[in-house]
Amino acid sequence: MSEFIHKSHNVTVLLYHLVFPAKYRRAVFDESVDEELKQVCLEIELR
């Protein structure tokens, strides 16, 4: 079986699935955490 997901109009490969539930509906990430998360995602993209 292929690691790619074949749909009628695209082909994708899902490597990461991030879930951020908002259970208490309050701010969880401050500016420093937000910036670090962006950097981690950009580094993953470059890989």
Side-chain angles (χ1 to χ4, degrees):
M1 184 170 182
S2 175
E3 67 177 313
F4 298 101
I5 300 168
H6 297 270
K7 301 281 184 149
S8 61
H9 60 281
N10 65 359
V11 176
T12 60
V13 59
L14 180 61
L15 299 175
Y16 299 93
H17 181 89
L18 302 175
V19 177
F20 297 102
K23 183 175 180 180
Y24 298 107
R25 298 183 188 274
R26 61 184 168 91
V28 176
F29 300 130
D30 60 6
E31 288 293 321
S32 63
V33 174
D34 185 45
E35 189 60 36
E36 185 66 27
L37 185 59
K38 286 180 188 176
Q39 288 301 318
V40 168
C41 290
L42 290 173
E43 290 172 11
I44 290 170
E45 176 188 24
L46 294 176
R47 287 189 229 157

